[in-house]
Amino acid sequence: MKKLFLLLAAFLMAGAVQAMNEGREVLDFNFGWRFHAGDEADAEQSAFDDSGWRTVDVPHDFQIEQPWVPPTADERASNNDPGANIRSRLSSRGFKEMGIGWYRKTFTPDEAWKDKRVVIDFEGIMYVGDVYLNGEYIGGTDYGYVGFEIDITKRLQYGKPNVIAVKADTREPLNSRWYTGGGLFRNVHLLVTDAKVYFMRHPLYITTPQVSAAEATVNIQAEMACYTKQKTLKTETVITDAEGQVVARQTDELPFNARMRTCEYRLKPVRLANPRLWDCESPHLYKVEMTLYHEDGTVADRVSEHFGVRTVEFSPAFGMKLNGKKVLLKGIANHHSLGALGAAAYDRAIEKRIQLLKSFGVNHIRTSHNPYSEGFMDLCDKYGILVVDELYDKWLDQYCGGRAEWSSLWQKDIPEFIKRDRNHPSVVFWSLGNELQQYWNLPFADWGVTPYRLQRELLKRYDDTRLVTVAMHPRYRSLETDSLPAPLVHETDIASYNYRYMYFPGDARRFPNLMFYQSEANTSGMGPNFYEMNLDKVIGLAYWGQIDYLGESQGWPAKGWTQGAFDISLQPKPIAYFLKSMFTDEPLVHIGVIDANTDAMWNGVQTGTDRMSDHWNRREGDTLSLYTYTNADEVELRLNGKSLGVRQNDRQNPKVRNRIKWDNIVYRPGTLEAIARTGGKVVASHRIETTGKAVRLEIVPDNGNWKADGTDLQHLRVTAVDRRGRRVPEADTQLTFTVEGDARIVAVDNGNMVSDELHATNRRKLFNGSALVILRAGKTPGEITLTAEGEGFRTVKTKLQTH
């Protein structure tokens, strides 16, 4: 009986393995690459000896590991302008040298692939890349923000090791206006499918043209290839809800014409009863799983895709509605990089940012100025973040990699971009570019009108459900009066102005068909640039650079942008609570003490903001100015229990709404407290206290479900505290971190953008009393111990677990 049971179990297990292997295999190709920084002759050749190269795992940004390159003496002395070193050739690129990185991976193809189709899929190579298999050039990219695949079926050599080699090139300093990073910064996969009947790249196009409370119509189009003589293509479509319950199932018999080996097929509409809608508060996701069969009924290929049921409407009368309700885009526009991790696209780092932004009321991200990773799009779907999905910066060869003419790129980039992202319910409209109209000599010399028309026509070929725009700055055409918007404004579906919201009312009167979106808003204008818009009619806005980032430095020693609401290590600055007071109805008050005034300009826009902190460790007798940010009716300020007065929140004045300034506050050690009231009742308070000497370190992890998948991250905040557990802002001790267990340190940070310390190391000084260390999990579940050591502190350890 026992033997019979074991035989039955083995039979069932074999069946399960066979079922899992039906259809396509998606193989993770991220691990075990050999890497070399710098160019190397013959590195693409199979026989090349890479034993001296180090091993890295993807995603990987080789540029973040490089030393800082300060401006030269000539660059600093170019003129007497204090901001002259902004013009360093590397200031926009994060003061990292440009260069080449080589990656090599050796693998032996599975013999079972001999009768299959094998494809290598790169989600992106930064900035441009070339790919070789066994010494033969097989493809590459001239614009690293979009993915591509290469069919390697006929090039594989079975029975022996094969070598994939990738050459990644960051190009020249002026080929980007910000830090791009370099290398295999996104995922790499091998796809194994049936050789003759299979789904094409990004094959599904899912739309919901009719939606009501009772029923939703789901239209599905699938792109398939068939190299047999069969007369029909049979598919089965299964739709499941977020809990995995099957809510719809159907089969389709599609007539096949052998003269059309690849074709897009429309399936019968699927009806969903009582659909659960996707929105910002309840982002419900359905999943389509589609199976393609051989003529004999065996599985040829299988793919799946998530989608959401929702409606989006736009009108000059109300801006934007989601599922019939007015929604205002309250967002940010940032570059794709992830702080100390550089450009390496870790899903957990992206998720951490989305969670942080959402907690401060942000419901929108503009992907300035390039497509973000596939993981980013999935996470926006998951968390209910509305996305304006953008493809390019300026339509100039210089800013698209510099290796190929931009006019030769967009015909390939647009289909890949749109087909990849069109099923994401988070995407509400497309943007094809940024700050274009100052260049009359774009292709066809008509201020970008014809290039836009051509691109939009191609875009609509792949998605006709969304509106299309470009972000404009300035909103008018160069060399002309600013009294009229640029010609490109009248071509786009949405008038997207960077910073020029003050033109919305006048342009709306003259051109009542226009719909307005403030595609970039400056932090220095925060408040007025939100409240001075007609919020009932505009689509919304995106505040520029609200998380500090590498690149676009306004002067050495700053390594990047410092005008955000959150520092580069993701600590909120006082102004983040001003943002939250505008974006949420949650009662709040927060104190921000002014440390310094700045008056910086960037691209003709005022960007400088008051430097503030929210601690009460000052010098005895200092006279201070500060803000209390609040959405309550009034604020009372108390110093050591003594009232310094009560001030009203002037909601009728957009220039001061939600921020109350207090001058001539004489510092006394102790406690400063802000108490907010609405209708006479206390609704919120914020207290800052004078701390004692730092006596110990505390470590707080952020990921309670740390996965041993080789990629998942753990962010640990290390803080110096006094005897009462309060953060001590003056603490600046250098810390050294070590790890035991199957994990490694991939980055350290502290939020100090002027520090000369590197991120890809295991040492970092405390800044404002804290530091951040980021660990990358290995693949073996188990206990991980992080140790932090610093002079004057007892060594502290924290134990973690990967699952």
PDB file of all heavy atoms in Angstrom, residues 685-714:
ATOM      1  N   SER A 685      -1.193  68.469  17.059  1.00  0.00           N
ATOM      2  CA  SER A 685      -0.125  69.194  17.737  1.00  0.00           C
ATOM      3  C   SER A 685       1.216  68.651  17.281  1.00  0.00           C
ATOM      4  O   SER A 685       1.320  67.517  16.778  1.00  0.00           O
ATOM      5  CB  SER A 685      -0.255  69.066  19.261  1.00  0.00           C
ATOM      6  OG  SER A 685      -0.094  67.720  19.670  1.00  0.00           O
ATOM      7  N   HIS A 686       2.236  69.456  17.419  1.00  0.00           N
ATOM      8  CA  HIS A 686       3.601  69.035  17.095  1.00  0.00           C
ATOM      9  C   HIS A 686       4.541  69.659  18.110  1.00  0.00           C
ATOM     10  O   HIS A 686       4.479  70.866  18.367  1.00  0.00           O
ATOM     11  CB  HIS A 686       3.997  69.464  15.681  1.00  0.00           C
ATOM     12  CG  HIS A 686       5.392  69.050  15.305  1.00  0.00           C
ATOM     13  ND1 HIS A 686       6.252  69.865  14.611  1.00  0.00           N
ATOM     14  CD2 HIS A 686       6.080  67.897  15.529  1.00  0.00           C
ATOM     15  CE1 HIS A 686       7.392  69.241  14.410  1.00  0.00           C
ATOM     16  NE2 HIS A 686       7.315  68.047  14.961  1.00  0.00           N
ATOM     17  N   ARG A 687       5.392  68.831  18.691  1.00  0.00           N
ATOM     18  CA  ARG A 687       6.311  69.280  19.735  1.00  0.00           C
ATOM     19  C   ARG A 687       7.734  68.954  19.330  1.00  0.00           C
ATOM     20  O   ARG A 687       8.031  67.847  18.868  1.00  0.00           O
ATOM     21  CB  ARG A 687       5.976  68.583  21.051  1.00  0.00           C
ATOM     22  CG  ARG A 687       6.983  68.833  22.158  1.00  0.00           C
ATOM     23  CD  ARG A 687       6.640  68.045  23.404  1.00  0.00           C
ATOM     24  NE  ARG A 687       5.389  68.516  23.988  1.00  0.00           N
ATOM     25  CZ  ARG A 687       4.982  68.175  25.209  1.00  0.00           C
ATOM     26  NH1 ARG A 687       5.713  67.365  25.952  1.00  0.00           N
ATOM     27  NH2 ARG A 687       3.842  68.631  25.680  1.00  0.00           N
ATOM     28  N   ILE A 688       8.636  69.924  19.484  1.00  0.00           N
ATOM     29  CA  ILE A 688      10.063  69.683  19.312  1.00  0.00           C
ATOM     30  C   ILE A 688      10.756  70.051  20.616  1.00  0.00           C
ATOM     31  O   ILE A 688      10.371  71.002  21.299  1.00  0.00           O
ATOM     32  CB  ILE A 688      10.654  70.453  18.106  1.00  0.00           C
ATOM     33  CG1 ILE A 688      10.385  71.959  18.205  1.00  0.00           C
ATOM     34  CG2 ILE A 688      10.084  69.909  16.806  1.00  0.00           C
ATOM     35  CD1 ILE A 688      10.998  72.763  17.054  1.00  0.00           C
ATOM     36  N   GLU A 689      11.783  69.272  20.972  1.00  0.00           N
ATOM     37  CA  GLU A 689      12.398  69.406  22.284  1.00  0.00           C
ATOM     38  C   GLU A 689      13.909  69.516  22.173  1.00  0.00           C
ATOM     39  O   GLU A 689      14.529  68.946  21.267  1.00  0.00           O
ATOM     40  CB  GLU A 689      12.050  68.196  23.157  1.00  0.00           C
ATOM     41  CG  GLU A 689      10.563  68.018  23.401  1.00  0.00           C
ATOM     42  CD  GLU A 689      10.278  66.746  24.186  1.00  0.00           C
ATOM     43  OE1 GLU A 689      11.090  65.801  24.104  1.00  0.00           O
ATOM     44  OE2 GLU A 689       9.252  66.700  24.880  1.00  0.00           O
ATOM     45  N   THR A 690      14.508  70.215  23.124  1.00  0.00           N
ATOM     46  CA  THR A 690      15.959  70.240  23.248  1.00  0.00           C
ATOM     47  C   THR A 690      16.403  68.891  23.806  1.00  0.00           C
ATOM     48  O   THR A 690      15.902  68.446  24.838  1.00  0.00           O
ATOM     49  CB  THR A 690      16.401  71.365  24.193  1.00  0.00           C
ATOM     50  OG1 THR A 690      15.845  72.604  23.761  1.00  0.00           O
ATOM     51  CG2 THR A 690      17.921  71.468  24.225  1.00  0.00           C
ATOM     52  N   THR A 691      17.317  68.254  23.111  1.00  0.00           N
ATOM     53  CA  THR A 691      17.737  66.917  23.525  1.00  0.00           C
ATOM     54  C   THR A 691      19.021  66.975  24.327  1.00  0.00           C
ATOM     55  O   THR A 691      19.737  67.989  24.349  1.00  0.00           O
ATOM     56  CB  THR A 691      17.947  66.007  22.307  1.00  0.00           C
ATOM     57  OG1 THR A 691      19.097  66.471  21.584  1.00  0.00           O
ATOM     58  CG2 THR A 691      16.734  66.004  21.404  1.00  0.00           C
ATOM     59  N   GLY A 692      19.327  65.840  24.956  1.00  0.00           N
ATOM     60  CA  GLY A 692      20.604  65.690  25.630  1.00  0.00           C
ATOM     61  C   GLY A 692      21.659  65.141  24.688  1.00  0.00           C
ATOM     62  O   GLY A 692      21.478  65.091  23.471  1.00  0.00           O
ATOM     63  N   LYS A 693      22.752  64.682  25.254  1.00  0.00           N
ATOM     64  CA  LYS A 693      23.854  64.126  24.486  1.00  0.00           C
ATOM     65  C   LYS A 693      23.460  62.763  23.919  1.00  0.00           C
ATOM     66  O   LYS A 693      22.733  61.992  24.545  1.00  0.00           O
ATOM     67  CB  LYS A 693      25.081  63.977  25.382  1.00  0.00           C
ATOM     68  CG  LYS A 693      26.295  63.392  24.696  1.00  0.00           C
ATOM     69  CD  LYS A 693      27.433  63.214  25.687  1.00  0.00           C
ATOM     70  CE  LYS A 693      28.632  62.545  25.015  1.00  0.00           C
ATOM     71  NZ  LYS A 693      29.758  62.327  25.978  1.00  0.00           N
ATOM     72  N   ALA A 694      23.940  62.464  22.708  1.00  0.00           N
ATOM     73  CA  ALA A 694      23.690  61.157  22.107  1.00  0.00           C
ATOM     74  C   ALA A 694      24.434  60.087  22.892  1.00  0.00           C
ATOM     75  O   ALA A 694      25.646  60.194  23.137  1.00  0.00           O
ATOM     76  CB  ALA A 694      24.135  61.147  20.660  1.00  0.00           C
ATOM     77  N   VAL A 695      23.711  59.035  23.303  1.00  0.00           N
ATOM     78  CA  VAL A 695      24.313  57.993  24.134  1.00  0.00           C
ATOM     79  C   VAL A 695      24.228  56.607  23.512  1.00  0.00           C
ATOM     80  O   VAL A 695      24.928  55.696  23.943  1.00  0.00           O
ATOM     81  CB  VAL A 695      23.656  57.963  25.539  1.00  0.00           C
ATOM     82  CG1 VAL A 695      23.904  59.281  26.268  1.00  0.00           C
ATOM     83  CG2 VAL A 695      22.159  57.674  25.444  1.00  0.00           C
ATOM     84  N   ARG A 696      23.370  56.421  22.521  1.00  0.00           N
ATOM     85  CA  ARG A 696      23.270  55.089  21.926  1.00  0.00           C
ATOM     86  C   ARG A 696      22.717  55.183  20.504  1.00  0.00           C
ATOM     87  O   ARG A 696      22.191  56.223  20.092  1.00  0.00           O
ATOM     88  CB  ARG A 696      22.390  54.174  22.769  1.00  0.00           C
ATOM     89  CG  ARG A 696      20.921  54.501  22.779  1.00  0.00           C
ATOM     90  CD  ARG A 696      20.130  53.457  23.588  1.00  0.00           C
ATOM     91  NE  ARG A 696      18.690  53.671  23.479  1.00  0.00           N
ATOM     92  CZ  ARG A 696      17.987  54.484  24.244  1.00  0.00           C
ATOM     93  NH1 ARG A 696      18.598  55.174  25.205  1.00  0.00           N
ATOM     94  NH2 ARG A 696      16.677  54.607  24.073  1.00  0.00           N
ATOM     95  N   LEU A 697      22.868  54.076  19.803  1.00  0.00           N
ATOM     96  CA  LEU A 697      22.339  53.967  18.448  1.00  0.00           C
ATOM     97  C   LEU A 697      21.110  53.068  18.455  1.00  0.00           C
ATOM     98  O   LEU A 697      21.068  52.060  19.172  1.00  0.00           O
ATOM     99  CB  LEU A 697      23.387  53.371  17.502  1.00  0.00           C
ATOM    100  CG  LEU A 697      24.695  54.156  17.321  1.00  0.00           C
ATOM    101  CD1 LEU A 697      25.672  53.339  16.494  1.00  0.00           C
ATOM    102  CD2 LEU A 697      24.435  55.512  16.671  1.00  0.00           C
ATOM    103  N   GLU A 698      20.139  53.426  17.643  1.00  0.00           N
ATOM    104  CA  GLU A 698      18.965  52.594  17.434  1.00  0.00           C
ATOM    105  C   GLU A 698      18.874  52.241  15.954  1.00  0.00           C
ATOM    106  O   GLU A 698      19.163  53.080  15.090  1.00  0.00           O
ATOM    107  CB  GLU A 698      17.682  53.312  17.867  1.00  0.00           C
ATOM    108  CG  GLU A 698      17.556  53.495  19.361  1.00  0.00           C
ATOM    109  CD  GLU A 698      16.220  54.112  19.757  1.00  0.00           C
ATOM    110  OE1 GLU A 698      15.494  54.605  18.845  1.00  0.00           O
ATOM    111  OE2 GLU A 698      15.910  54.120  20.961  1.00  0.00           O
ATOM    112  N   ILE A 699      18.456  51.007  15.656  1.00  0.00           N
ATOM    113  CA  ILE A 699      18.303  50.562  14.275  1.00  0.00           C
ATOM    114  C   ILE A 699      16.863  50.124  14.066  1.00  0.00           C
ATOM    115  O   ILE A 699      16.346  49.298  14.819  1.00  0.00           O
ATOM    116  CB  ILE A 699      19.255  49.395  13.936  1.00  0.00           C
ATOM    117  CG1 ILE A 699      20.711  49.789  14.211  1.00  0.00           C
ATOM    118  CG2 ILE A 699      19.086  48.965  12.483  1.00  0.00           C
ATOM    119  CD1 ILE A 699      21.709  48.658  13.966  1.00  0.00           C
ATOM    120  N   VAL A 700      16.211  50.669  13.042  1.00  0.00           N
ATOM    121  CA  VAL A 700      14.818  50.332  12.745  1.00  0.00           C
ATOM    122  C   VAL A 700      14.720  49.848  11.302  1.00  0.00           C
ATOM    123  O   VAL A 700      14.992  50.609  10.365  1.00  0.00           O
ATOM    124  CB  VAL A 700      13.889  51.544  12.965  1.00  0.00           C
ATOM    125  CG1 VAL A 700      12.447  51.172  12.615  1.00  0.00           C
ATOM    126  CG2 VAL A 700      13.970  52.034  14.411  1.00  0.00           C
ATOM    127  N   PRO A 701      14.339  48.579  11.084  1.00  0.00           N
ATOM    128  CA  PRO A 701      14.145  48.074   9.721  1.00  0.00           C
ATOM    129  C   PRO A 701      12.769  48.461   9.190  1.00  0.00           C
ATOM    130  O   PRO A 701      11.880  48.842   9.957  1.00  0.00           O
ATOM    131  CB  PRO A 701      14.257  46.560   9.890  1.00  0.00           C
ATOM    132  CG  PRO A 701      13.764  46.319  11.294  1.00  0.00           C
ATOM    133  CD  PRO A 701      14.156  47.538  12.104  1.00  0.00           C
ATOM    134  N   ASP A 702      12.578  48.342   7.876  1.00  0.00           N
ATOM    135  CA  ASP A 702      11.302  48.775   7.277  1.00  0.00           C
ATOM    136  C   ASP A 702      10.530  47.650   6.601  1.00  0.00           C
ATOM    137  O   ASP A 702       9.388  47.847   6.199  1.00  0.00           O
ATOM    138  CB  ASP A 702      11.560  49.887   6.251  1.00  0.00           C
ATOM    139  CG  ASP A 702      12.065  49.359   4.910  1.00  0.00           C
ATOM    140  OD1 ASP A 702      12.817  48.366   4.914  1.00  0.00           O
ATOM    141  OD2 ASP A 702      11.719  49.934   3.874  1.00  0.00           O
ATOM    142  N   ASN A 703      11.130  46.469   6.445  1.00  0.00           N
ATOM    143  CA  ASN A 703      10.500  45.422   5.642  1.00  0.00           C
ATOM    144  C   ASN A 703      10.247  44.197   6.504  1.00  0.00           C
ATOM    145  O   ASN A 703      11.154  43.396   6.761  1.00  0.00           O
ATOM    146  CB  ASN A 703      11.397  45.076   4.446  1.00  0.00           C
ATOM    147  CG  ASN A 703      10.737  44.156   3.449  1.00  0.00           C
ATOM    148  OD1 ASN A 703       9.666  43.609   3.696  1.00  0.00           O
ATOM    149  ND2 ASN A 703      11.369  43.964   2.300  1.00  0.00           N
ATOM    150  N   GLY A 704       9.008  44.039   6.967  1.00  0.00           N
ATOM    151  CA  GLY A 704       8.663  42.915   7.823  1.00  0.00           C
ATOM    152  C   GLY A 704       8.465  41.610   7.094  1.00  0.00           C
ATOM    153  O   GLY A 704       8.307  40.564   7.720  1.00  0.00           O
ATOM    154  N   ASN A 705       8.461  41.663   5.766  1.00  0.00           N
ATOM    155  CA  ASN A 705       8.294  40.442   4.965  1.00  0.00           C
ATOM    156  C   ASN A 705       9.421  40.367   3.940  1.00  0.00           C
ATOM    157  O   ASN A 705       9.211  40.373   2.730  1.00  0.00           O
ATOM    158  CB  ASN A 705       6.929  40.445   4.263  1.00  0.00           C
ATOM    159  CG  ASN A 705       6.659  39.155   3.517  1.00  0.00           C
ATOM    160  OD1 ASN A 705       7.126  38.094   3.913  1.00  0.00           O
ATOM    161  ND2 ASN A 705       5.914  39.247   2.423  1.00  0.00           N
ATOM    162  N   TRP A 706      10.634  40.308   4.459  1.00  0.00           N
ATOM    163  CA  TRP A 706      11.832  40.363   3.626  1.00  0.00           C
ATOM    164  C   TRP A 706      12.022  39.014   2.935  1.00  0.00           C
ATOM    165  O   TRP A 706      12.225  37.994   3.586  1.00  0.00           O
ATOM    166  CB  TRP A 706      13.023  40.707   4.511  1.00  0.00           C
ATOM    167  CG  TRP A 706      14.255  41.116   3.774  1.00  0.00           C
ATOM    168  CD1 TRP A 706      14.362  41.488   2.468  1.00  0.00           C
ATOM    169  CD2 TRP A 706      15.566  41.200   4.334  1.00  0.00           C
ATOM    170  NE1 TRP A 706      15.667  41.807   2.170  1.00  0.00           N
ATOM    171  CE2 TRP A 706      16.423  41.638   3.293  1.00  0.00           C
ATOM    172  CE3 TRP A 706      16.098  40.954   5.585  1.00  0.00           C
ATOM    173  CZ2 TRP A 706      17.785  41.829   3.498  1.00  0.00           C
ATOM    174  CZ3 TRP A 706      17.463  41.149   5.799  1.00  0.00           C
ATOM    175  CH2 TRP A 706      18.295  41.583   4.765  1.00  0.00           C
ATOM    176  N   LYS A 707      11.948  39.019   1.620  1.00  0.00           N
ATOM    177  CA  LYS A 707      11.965  37.781   0.841  1.00  0.00           C
ATOM    178  C   LYS A 707      13.395  37.400   0.444  1.00  0.00           C
ATOM    179  O   LYS A 707      14.179  38.253   0.012  1.00  0.00           O
ATOM    180  CB  LYS A 707      11.099  37.922  -0.412  1.00  0.00           C
ATOM    181  CG  LYS A 707       9.635  38.184  -0.117  1.00  0.00           C
ATOM    182  CD  LYS A 707       8.803  38.260  -1.376  1.00  0.00           C
ATOM    183  CE  LYS A 707       9.142  39.501  -2.212  1.00  0.00           C
ATOM    184  NZ  LYS A 707       8.770  40.737  -1.523  1.00  0.00           N
ATOM    185  N   ALA A 708      13.682  36.126   0.547  1.00  0.00           N
ATOM    186  CA  ALA A 708      14.994  35.609   0.144  1.00  0.00           C
ATOM    187  C   ALA A 708      14.971  35.270  -1.345  1.00  0.00           C
ATOM    188  O   ALA A 708      15.155  34.122  -1.746  1.00  0.00           O
ATOM    189  CB  ALA A 708      15.357  34.394   0.982  1.00  0.00           C
ATOM    190  N   ASP A 709      14.746  36.296  -2.170  1.00  0.00           N
ATOM    191  CA  ASP A 709      14.647  36.076  -3.611  1.00  0.00           C
ATOM    192  C   ASP A 709      15.858  36.621  -4.366  1.00  0.00           C
ATOM    193  O   ASP A 709      15.872  36.637  -5.598  1.00  0.00           O
ATOM    194  CB  ASP A 709      13.370  36.715  -4.164  1.00  0.00           C
ATOM    195  CG  ASP A 709      13.316  38.228  -3.953  1.00  0.00           C
ATOM    196  OD1 ASP A 709      14.292  38.808  -3.421  1.00  0.00           O
ATOM    197  OD2 ASP A 709      12.289  38.833  -4.315  1.00  0.00           O
ATOM    198  N   GLY A 710      16.867  37.075  -3.627  1.00  0.00           N
ATOM    199  CA  GLY A 710      18.065  37.598  -4.254  1.00  0.00           C
ATOM    200  C   GLY A 710      17.996  39.057  -4.632  1.00  0.00           C
ATOM    201  O   GLY A 710      19.011  39.652  -5.021  1.00  0.00           O
ATOM    202  N   THR A 711      16.809  39.663  -4.509  1.00  0.00           N
ATOM    203  CA  THR A 711      16.625  41.043  -4.964  1.00  0.00           C
ATOM    204  C   THR A 711      15.973  41.937  -3.913  1.00  0.00           C
ATOM    205  O   THR A 711      16.223  43.142  -3.882  1.00  0.00           O
ATOM    206  CB  THR A 711      15.762  41.069  -6.243  1.00  0.00           C
ATOM    207  OG1 THR A 711      16.370  40.261  -7.246  1.00  0.00           O
ATOM    208  CG2 THR A 711      15.620  42.477  -6.783  1.00  0.00           C
ATOM    209  N   ASP A 712      15.148  41.382  -3.042  1.00  0.00           N
ATOM    210  CA  ASP A 712      14.378  42.192  -2.097  1.00  0.00           C
ATOM    211  C   ASP A 712      15.309  42.962  -1.161  1.00  0.00           C
ATOM    212  O   ASP A 712      16.388  42.475  -0.792  1.00  0.00           O
ATOM    213  CB  ASP A 712      13.439  41.300  -1.284  1.00  0.00           C
ATOM    214  CG  ASP A 712      12.311  42.082  -0.637  1.00  0.00           C
ATOM    215  OD1 ASP A 712      12.070  43.245  -1.033  1.00  0.00           O
ATOM    216  OD2 ASP A 712      11.662  41.534   0.280  1.00  0.00           O
ATOM    217  N   LEU A 713      14.867  44.156  -0.778  1.00  0.00           N
ATOM    218  CA  LEU A 713      15.694  45.064   0.014  1.00  0.00           C
ATOM    219  C   LEU A 713      15.140  45.234   1.419  1.00  0.00           C
ATOM    220  O   LEU A 713      13.939  45.120   1.663  1.00  0.00           O
ATOM    221  CB  LEU A 713      15.768  46.439  -0.648  1.00  0.00           C
ATOM    222  CG  LEU A 713      16.335  46.523  -2.057  1.00  0.00           C
ATOM    223  CD1 LEU A 713      16.349  47.969  -2.522  1.00  0.00           C
ATOM    224  CD2 LEU A 713      17.736  45.929  -2.140  1.00  0.00           C
ATOM    225  N   GLN A 714      16.054  45.571   2.311  1.00  0.00           N
ATOM    226  CA  GLN A 714      15.719  45.991   3.669  1.00  0.00           C
ATOM    227  C   GLN A 714      16.398  47.343   3.905  1.00  0.00           C
ATOM    228  O   GLN A 714      17.621  47.450   3.814  1.00  0.00           O
ATOM    229  CB  GLN A 714      16.226  44.969   4.682  1.00  0.00           C
ATOM    230  CG  GLN A 714      15.877  45.242   6.122  1.00  0.00           C
ATOM    231  CD  GLN A 714      14.439  44.939   6.457  1.00  0.00           C
ATOM    232  OE1 GLN A 714      13.645  45.868   6.570  1.00  0.00           O
ATOM    233  NE2 GLN A 714      14.101  43.661   6.613  1.00  0.00           N
TER     234      GLN A 714
END
